[in-house]
Every structure is written in structure tokens, then in C-alpha cells.
Amino acid sequence: MSTTSDIPATAVVVPAHPTKPSTPAIEQEKEAPAKKSESAVKSFISGGVGGACAVLVGHPLDLVKVRMQTGGASSNSVFGMLSTTMRKEGIRGLYRGVSAPLTAVSPMFAVSFWSYDMGQRMVKAYGQNGMNEEEKAAPYTLSMGEICVAGAFSAIPTTAIMAPSERIKCLLQVQATEVEKGGKARYSGMLDCAKNLLKEGGLASLYKGTGATLLRDIPGTVAYFGTYELTKRELMKIQGIDPNNGQLSLTAVLFAGGFAGMACWGIGIPADVLKSRLQTAPEGKYSGIYDVYKALIKEEGYAGLFRGMRPALIRAFPANAACFLGVEVAKNMLGFMD
């Protein structure tokens, strides 16, 4: 993702006396037009493509993560759980509950990347405050601090879609574990789950765990976009690519995206554990996220905060490599929108 937003420079000084030889005092080289700011609509569409790629690649391991976090794991081994699920439920079992994230993740990532783009524009405008027009026309490279602020901003509007989607997804995944043990299914699918939640507790029930989602996603997106941009810059230095005009290879994009995902989940997993417990608990069991935290520490110790870390990190690399690859490919295809 580009971290510069350049304004085309205009400046060709025409000699006052065309018949006379030009002199160094009045001669200027014609500057190449700088890259335009990327279209916000392009960021939105590209983010949606990336989100769909992330879900399709990463959902089976997300299923394992949720089952580990909520006590429904049939094995302590990530790959043992994957093989058990595959043997008992087939491919369909590995994608249990995928309809909710697939339906929500494309617009969610679309909003996330659009919000990140808007965040970059805001911090750029703040950074250029007080500059004259000539200074504003020069290329502006965001600092890592500014990128992190833009990343943090992106988590706020994204949570409006993320929180209810994750609530439904977690409930469906935990229900699958209960059915496997001989229990009865409470929900027939994503829409039925959403209708029941609204009927039981209104929007408050559907958005249960929103605070925990923000607690996870604000630092998570700082790490996500920060790591991606930092890795891209370092790879460009290594490969001798101009960060203002050059582009990384698809392999380098996969590498940067994979590490960005691991950084995000490495920071966000404790809050994700609390969120999963809160969102799947019976109504009235916990008064809030701090109550979940106290109960978890009392029962499982601090190690319980990192339950599901292995599948989360194993999933994070391929899923987010696919995500950023989808974003970058979509951006190139939609270049006409700039």
C-alpha cells in the first residue's frame, strides 16, 4: 500500500526572449508528473477483494482457534484438530460458520482499507499544516508514527461491522462443537442466529463484545499496517526500488502481508480470547470484559490469555499474505480509477 500522496508539480519557466539562447538563470528542467493520490473508492474495492481472499485461505485455522479458546477443542494439536474435523465433518466442517465472516469480511476489509486511506489523508493534512503551496506540492512520505495513527483510526469504523459478525461466527463455531458431542443445534445458520440475538436482546445482544473488539483491533491494526509498510520499505531498500515510484514483486508482497498478519495477532490474541469468551457465554454469565478477565485468570492463569495463539499465528501468515496480495492486484487492475 502506498504511503505517499503526491501532488503533480507544475513548473516550466518559458524564456522571456525565445530568440535568445537560454541561460542557466532562467532554465528549468521539466519535472515528471508525480503520482496522484489513490482513489478512495479503489481502496474500498481493493480491501473487499483482500478480505475475501483472507477468509477463504484462513477460515479452517480460525475455526480451530475459536474452539481452543472456548474449550471445545478435541485435541491440543492444531493439525490434529484439523485432521479430526476433516475426518468427521469433511471440507464443509472446516468451513463451519464461514458464511458470517465471508458476508461481513469483504465489506469489513473494504471499510478497513478505505478508513486507512482516509486516516493517511488526515495525518498528511495535519503534517502539511503551515506549509506553503510549493512545499505541499512536493512528495510527502508518511512517517511510521503517522502510519500507525492512520492504522489505529481504521479500526474504529471497521468495528461496526466486525463486532456482530464475530459474535455470530463464534456462536456458530461453538455450536458445531456441541452438536458433535451430541447436543442440539440452536441456530440453523447465520441469519437465524442474527434474528435470535435481536429477538433476545436487541442490538445490544448482537453487538455484545464491541468493547473487547476495539481493545483487540486498535493496537492490532497499528501493528498490522505499521508492519506491512515497514517491511515493504525495508524490502524496497534491499532491492534498490524507489518507494515513490517502484513496486514490489508479488512474492515480496506476500512476505510483507504475512508478517503484518502475525504482528497483528501476536499483539491482539489476549483481547481476542476475552472477546470470544464474552461473545459465546450465556446471557448474564459475565458483567463485562473485566469480569471475563478475572474469571479466566482465576481458572487458567495468565497462560489462558494466549489460548489459541498457535492456530492464530499459523493462520495469520497465509491469510494476510493472501489479503494483501488481493489488495495490491486489485489496485493495479483498478489503476484507471485514480
Side-chain angles (χ1 to χ4, degrees):
M1 183 177 295
S2 173
T3 57
T4 60
S5 182
D6 304 339
I7 302 174
T10 63
V12 180
V13 177
V14 180
H17 303 286
T19 56
K20 294 182 180 180
S22 59
T23 63
I26 58 174
E27 189 178 55
Q28 275 186 287
E29 290 185 8
K30 185 177 180 180
E31 295 183 17
K35 290 170 68 178
K36 296 180 181 178
S37 297
E38 288 186 343
S39 162
V41 175
K42 187 174 85 170
S43 295
F44 184 87
I45 295 171
S46 300
V49 172
C53 292
V55 171
L56 293 174
V57 171
H59 188 78
L61 284 162
D62 185 68
L63 175 70
V64 172
K65 172 183 71 70
V66 171
R67 289 182 176 180
M68 280 187 166
Q69 290 175 344
T70 56
S74 57
S75 167
N76 289 325
S77 164
V78 173
F79 295 103
M81 283 192 67
L82 285 172
S83 62
T84 300
T85 303
M86 182 68 179
R87 186 174 64 253
K88 292 183 177 180
E89 305 175 52
I91 290 290
R92 188 174 180 179
L94 291 176
Y95 283 89
R96 182 81 60 188
V98 74
S99 56
L102 192 58
T103 301
V105 163
S106 287
M108 181 191 73
F109 270 72
V111 170
S112 178
F113 277 85
W114 171 82
S115 301
Y116 177 56
D117 183 64
M118 292 298 102
Q120 289 184 90
R121 294 178 191 225
M122 287 191 291
V123 295
K124 179 189 172 185
Y126 182 80
Q128 290 180 324
N129 186 37
M131 290 184 180
N132 59 38
E133 290 303 315
E134 185 179 348
E135 290 171 328
K136 288 181 179 179
Y140 186 91
T141 302
L142 298 178
S143 68
M144 287 310 301
E146 289 171 326
I147 287 169
C148 290
V149 170
F153 171 78
S154 73
I156 298 170
T158 306
T159 298
I161 301 172
M162 173 81 81
S165 166
E166 295 242 328
R167 167 97 154 118
I168 293 168
K169 180 201 74 174
C170 290
L171 285 171
L172 290 177
Q173 289 178 339
V174 171
Q175 174 182 271
T177 304
E178 293 171 353
V179 170
E180 186 181 318
K181 294 177 179 177
K184 186 178 179 181
R186 186 177 179 187
Y187 311 112
S188 61
M190 179 185 70
L191 290 177
D192 185 52
C193 182
K195 284 192 294 183
N196 274 276
L197 290 174
L198 287 170
K199 185 178 179 181
E200 290 169 4
L203 283 174
S205 178
L206 189 62
Y207 276 85
K208 184 178 180 180
T210 298
T213 304
L214 280 171
L215 185 64
R216 179 195 68 181
D217 288 352
I218 290 178
T221 51
V222 167
Y224 190 57
F225 288 111
T227 300
Y228 181 67
E229 298 292 356
L230 180 61
T231 306
K232 277 182 65 177
R233 289 182 183 186
E234 293 304 313
L235 288 173
M236 284 181 167
K237 285 181 185 177
I238 292 169
Q239 297 179 16
I241 299 172
D242 181 358
N244 291 322
N245 300 309
Q247 289 187 331
L248 283 173
S249 66
L250 294 183
T251 302
V253 170
L254 287 169
F255 186 79
F259 272 98
M262 293 183 75
C264 175
W265 281 103
I267 288 175
I269 198 71
D272 188 62
V273 172
L274 299 176
K275 179 195 70 67
S276 294
R277 296 284 178 100
L278 181 62
Q279 289 184 322
T280 57
E283 290 297 328
K285 182 175 181 179
Y286 300 115
S287 60
I289 189 169
Y290 184 61
D291 195 27
V292 179
Y293 171 79
K294 289 191 297 181
L296 182 94
I297 298 303
K298 184 178 179 180
E299 294 169 9
E300 302 177 41
Y302 290 102
L305 288 169
F306 296 91
R307 188 175 289 278
M309 173 72 88
R310 282 174 296 168
L313 292 182
I314 293 170
R315 166 189 174 273
F317 193 97
N320 289 284
C323 173
F324 276 103
L325 179 63
V327 168
E328 297 291 356
V329 169
K331 281 185 175 181
N332 288 336
M333 293 177 67
L334 298 171
F336 64 90
M337 299 180 72
D338 289 334

